[in-house]
Amino acid sequence: MMEGNKAKKPSKKRNRAVMRSVILSLLVLAIGYTIYNSVTADDVEVLKAGDKAPDFALQDMEGNSHKLSDYEGEGVFLNFWGTWCAPCVKEMPAMDRQYKEFEEQGVQVLAVNIAQSEFEVQSFVDRFDLSFPVVIDKSKSVMTAYNIRPLPTTILVNPEGEIERIVTGEMTEQDIEGFMEEIRP
């Protein structure tokens, strides 16, 4: 019986050593990722009001291409969002109501989803019966170009194609109405 207990002790030590190695490896990876993120985040120029809005082309849920420069002469309410983002979900119905009010006045809404599946995004669009174009930034290239953190973030682009304002966080319907008024031609 003593021999059985002796055989288990080295196994426990080995298991503990393996677990410690795994935990240490994960910590090293996490620290490395954090350092990499900090270094590369500085490579992206931070946009500000007055800058020319970077052009891009993305497809909507029907396969139509939307190029930002095609909307020159109109105000563009460029909203970056995700279906998992609670503030994004809360502000979408208000954005849709205001879009219906301002669309005829030259204000366009482009909702840029960050790299989710077409199924997830289409289900979301259907659930809220959204009337404005919803595009998916599959490669996150537009998110990177605009240096988007956190979600939601809305970039207000004036009719000249310049950034009028950058809004981070959830907006009320009154905020949305005021911002659309701000970029109306």
Side-chain angles (χ1 to χ4, degrees):
M1 211 175 240
M2 293 282 263
E3 287 178 31
N5 285 340
K6 286 182 181 177
K8 287 185 180 179
K9 284 187 180 180
S11 176
K12 281 185 178 181
K13 283 184 181 179
R14 190 176 20 195
N15 286 345
R16 247 185 272 144
V18 167
M19 284 304 291
R20 286 180 183 153
S21 297
V22 167
I23 291 170
L24 183 61
S25 297
L26 288 173
L27 281 171
V28 167
L29 284 172
I31 291 169
Y33 176 77
T34 302
I35 291 170
Y36 172 78
N37 241 6
S38 297
V39 169
T40 58
D42 294 338
D43 292 346
V44 178
E45 184 178 325
V46 177
L47 296 171
K48 59 188 177 313
D51 289 347
K52 184 79 174 160
D55 200 15
F56 63 86
L58 294 172
Q59 286 191 337
D60 66 19
M61 303 311 296
E62 286 79 43
N64 302 313
S65 182
H66 293 269
K67 190 173 180 184
L68 183 64
S69 57
D70 290 345
Y71 295 105
E72 198 158 316
E74 295 182 75
V76 180
F77 193 88
L78 188 58
N79 180 262
F80 292 86
W81 67 284
T83 62
W84 47 265
C85 161
C88 302
V89 173
K90 284 177 66 179
E91 68 187 15
M92 280 290 176
M95 281 174 42
D96 196 58
R97 284 190 296 274
Q98 291 305 313
Y99 171 66
K100 289 173 183 172
E101 294 294 320
F102 281 88
E103 179 184 19
E104 295 297 319
Q105 299 176 47
V107 176
Q108 180 63 51
V109 170
L110 275 179
V112 181
N113 176 270
I114 306 300
Q116 289 188 266
S117 74
E118 288 183 28
F119 177 77
E120 288 174 295
V121 175
Q122 187 62 59
S123 296
F124 185 90
V125 169
D126 293 345
R127 185 170 115 210
F128 289 99
D129 194 28
L130 300 176
S131 57
F132 50 76
V134 175
V135 296
I136 302 174
D137 184 11
K138 294 178 181 177
S139 66
K140 297 184 180 181
S141 60
V142 178
M143 180 181 122
T144 301
Y146 281 84
N147 199 24
I148 299 301
R149 285 189 192 112
L151 293 182
T153 293
T154 301
I155 309 290
L156 304 176
V157 181
N158 66 26
E160 292 76 39
E162 298 169 344
I163 295 172
E164 191 71 31
R165 182 190 300 255
I166 299 171
V167 182
T168 56
E170 184 180 342
M171 298 174 288
T172 66
E173 187 151 359
Q174 292 77 19
D175 294 335
I176 294 166
E177 181 182 14
F179 294 146
M180 288 189 178
E181 186 71 45
E182 199 174 305
I183 59 173
R184 185 176 62 169

